[in-house]
Amino acid sequence: MADERDPDVEYVLLNKRDAKVYKVPPAASASGHKASDWQEAIWRGNLRIVARGTELSIRLLDSSSGNLFAQCVIPDGLYEHYVERVVDSSRYWVLKIVNGPRHAFIGFGFSERNDAFDFNACLADFKATFIDKVHEAKAAEAMPTKDLSLKEGETIKVSLPGKGARRREVKAGYPAGLLAPPPATSTSVQAPPSISPNEAASSDTAPLKVPAAVGATEPAARGCRCWKWVYGMQLQKRPI
């Protein structure tokens, strides 16, 4: 991602009223400055944050005339080196004002917590959007690209999901896509009743009686003689 903004054009990112400036005494401890050590505000006015290219400017302007009271210039959006939060409040900071080879520190803050939140979010958003992403894009372009093309003689093996399952089904004896047959039931089939030799001989001359389930009528049964009767199977007939 490249920065497509015109580096000579200024963009106003934030405007706030009732900004206060304090005289900062030396820090009482190594942990940092405390807003509770500051006296009454030495100046009140408006705040404006302006961006030009990758440079940020925190400008403290007179509320009536608009004249510049102080300005904190932050190169490359690195506000952590120029804006230091106090250790005992979220509404106050210490600004580093640079004027050539000299620099000074002033206390700065807001009466309202919402104004302080907007100020801090504006600095963080600018750095994340226009500084960090540009550096990440430049680092990605500087990295050597990997050659992922196939060399001569190389092949790619692709495993399709479900292919192994179909092979297992065919190997088990069932075609792919069909279910296995249901298990055998425990119901036993009753064997047909046995026929004695005397009953078989008498059946050659006796008139045939066809069960109703076969579907033959009584007159048609009288004109036939059966030479063999097998229970549950088709009847074979011969003429008298």
Side-chain angles (χ1 to χ4, degrees):
M1 174 182 176
D3 189 1
E4 299 178 354
R5 298 174 303 158
D6 190 346
D8 297 328
V9 177
E10 290 186 346
Y11 301 86
V12 177
L13 304 181
L14 184 68
N15 276 313
K16 288 294 180 181
R17 297 180 179 179
D18 195 23
K20 297 180 290 185
V21 173
Y22 298 85
K23 184 179 180 180
V24 178
S29 64
S31 59
H33 295 274
K34 293 183 178 180
S36 58
D37 297 335
W38 301 348
Q39 303 298 326
E40 292 294 327
I42 61 174
W43 181 87
R44 286 176 180 266
N46 299 335
L47 171 134
R48 179 177 298 168
I49 297 180
V50 179
R52 184 174 65 177
T54 60
E55 182 181 274
L56 274 180
S57 296
I58 301 175
R59 299 175 182 177
L60 301 176
L61 306 174
D62 186 83
S63 56
S64 57
S65 63
N67 294 332
L68 182 65
F69 172 76
Q71 178 175 243
C72 175
V73 179
I74 305 173
D76 294 331
L78 302 176
Y79 65 93
E80 298 93 342
H81 303 295
Y82 296 85
V83 182
E84 179 185 355
R85 187 188 292 272
V86 298
V87 298
D88 60 342
S89 176
S90 61
R91 296 183 290 116
Y92 297 94
W93 296 264
V94 175
L95 301 182
K96 182 180 180 180
I97 307 298
V98 179
N99 185 11
R102 299 181 299 174
H103 66 273
F105 296 95
I106 61 173
F108 160 79
F110 299 95
S111 299
E112 297 295 331
R113 195 172 303 276
N114 291 337
D115 294 338
F117 176 83
D118 294 341
F119 171 78
N120 192 67
C122 180
L123 299 179
D125 290 346
F126 178 83
K127 184 176 182 295
T129 304
F130 300 106
I131 306 300
D132 294 343
K133 289 186 177 181
V134 171
H135 291 168
E136 292 175 1
K138 290 181 179 179
E141 293 176 357
M143 292 180 61
T145 57
K146 295 182 179 180
D147 185 10
L148 302 179
S149 60
L150 291 177
K151 305 299 186 295
E152 184 178 358
E154 292 183 346
T155 58
I156 296 178
K157 182 179 179 181
V158 180
S159 298
L160 299 178
K163 186 176 181 181
R166 290 195 293 270
R167 285 182 177 177
R168 288 193 297 270
E169 290 176 358
V170 175
K171 187 180 296 184
Y174 309 118
L178 298 180
L179 298 177
T185 60
S186 60
T187 305
S188 60
V189 179
Q190 187 177 3
S194 59
I195 302 176
S196 63
N198 297 331
E199 292 176 347
S202 63
S203 62
D204 293 338
T205 58
L208 177 63
K209 292 184 178 181
V210 182
V214 177
T217 60
E218 188 67 21
R222 292 195 189 101
C224 306
R225 297 212 177 194
C226 178
W227 62 275
K228 188 177 180 180
W229 167 262
V230 180
Y231 180 78
M233 300 181 66
Q234 184 180 5
L235 299 177
Q236 296 183 6
K237 304 175 184 178
R238 63 181 183 180
I240 300 176

